[in-house]
Amino acid sequence: MKAFDTFDANLRRNLLILFAAGLLFWSSLASLLPTLPLYIESLGASKQQIGVVMGSFAIGMLIFRPQLGMLADHRGRKIVLLIGMAVAAITPLGYLVVKSLLALMVIRAFHGISIAAFGTAYIALVGDLSPEHRRGEVIGYMSLVNPIGVALGPALGGYLQAVAGYTPLFIASAVLGSLGLICILPIVNPAVVEKPVNTTDDGFWQLLISPRVRVPAIVLLLIGLSLGTVHTFIALYIKSTGIHLNAGLFFTAAAISSFSIRLFAGRASDKYGRGLFVTFSLVAYTLALVFIWQANNAFIFLVGAVIEGAASGTAIPMISAMMTDRALPHERGRIFGVSLMGFDVGLTIAGPVVGFVAEQIGYRSTFGFATGLTVLGILIFVTQSSQNLPKSLRFAFGRGEDVYALKRE
């Protein structure tokens, strides 16, 4: 991590505290990944109802992401980090006190605000602090909080649920969020960057349909649909096959792979361009879903998990770095908020829509359906990511620059 050696002591301290907060945040959320669908099923829910409840998580992200992005730009990143972590600390306790599906949907939607706030502010703050010429490297390293948290969280959650039940599981998730809240308090909030004189802020729809945001948002929509399918139904799919595999191990294998690839992908993208690595991630998502779709033993499931982890470990950091390249500091929160809306919509739709598909054709064929979505993502990105087809192909395969990147002195 050579980039950190060049930073002064205060900046390194800020980044380390931020890293610790991110680790606790993702551990809290991920502890419920393999267990919450099973908890909802234990209350008598059908496949589609499980999908609706799990998908409600993204409703909170979808509604609040743009507003929280604006708040991060206008009031600073720290206040938005605190909002996200507070929601992560409070919400797990809500699962303990509600039993109806409607109430669970409301609690799950509220839980989604945590990522809308913390995820947006975290990426924006890391982008603020990263030197332009090493941005991919720093974002890659700081994004390690996700795979580490997603490795530790499901292992902890699965263990607590198996040996002690759901109540200790939800309490542990809340405690992790509370510790993260304490970590955020000493973070030094950078000065708010004012927009340049004689410039106007684009509205939500103007940003969304702008060339620099439109294609990344569509790609993130398709990634969100595919990832939502995995996160919502993998535990139930494995159970339905009769294969003896703890779903927590699937997430742990994916997280280890995601961790490993982030150690070098960010630095490499500074040299070879973001487009090549976004293309790689979409191809890897497709391969992962093919393995999961065709899995007939635990080993094949774990191979799919490893490839899926590599895809996730590349896609989100690289698209984040790409959007940081394309945004001025005073609009970075809004740009992330708008571009990540595609991901939120994908996760929102995945639960109920894919749940309906699962009811009709079963879990296995559902993952075949998800494979088609990532193939579509590949086609869109390699042909539409720049001003025309030749430039798009060159950018997508690392042979040309990002024409939408903003060069600053």
Side-chain angles (χ1 to χ4, degrees), residues 54-82:
M54 294 298 291
S56 297
F57 184 86
I59 295 175
M61 291 194 289
L62 186 62
I63 294 174
F64 289 96
R65 179 94 77 176
Q67 291 86 347
L68 290 164
M70 287 189 289
L71 182 63
D73 284 338
H74 297 150
R75 296 290 302 277
R77 320 301 190 198
K78 184 174 180 177
I79 182 64
V80 183
L81 288 172
L82 289 168

Side-chain angles (χ1 to χ4, degrees), residues 332-390:
R332 196 164 281 151
R334 289 186 303 118
I335 288 290
F336 281 127
V338 172
S339 61
L340 289 170
M341 285 281 286
F343 189 68
D344 299 343
V345 171
L347 289 177
T348 304
I349 295 173
V353 171
V354 179
F356 175 78
V357 173
E359 289 278 9
Q360 307 305 311
I361 63 176
Y363 289 126
R364 185 177 295 277
S365 297
T366 297
F367 283 91
F369 169 77
T371 303
L373 298 175
T374 57
V375 171
L376 179 60
I378 295 170
L379 295 174
I380 290 173
F381 187 74
V382 301
T383 62
Q384 304 294 320
S385 58
S386 194
Q387 294 170 326
N388 53 48
L389 180 58

Side-chain angles (χ1 to χ4, degrees), residues 316-331:
I316 303 304
M318 291 305 98
I319 294 177
S320 297
M322 184 171 71
M323 298 316 299
T324 304
D325 295 338
R326 297 179 175 191
L328 293 168
H330 76 278
E331 62 177 0

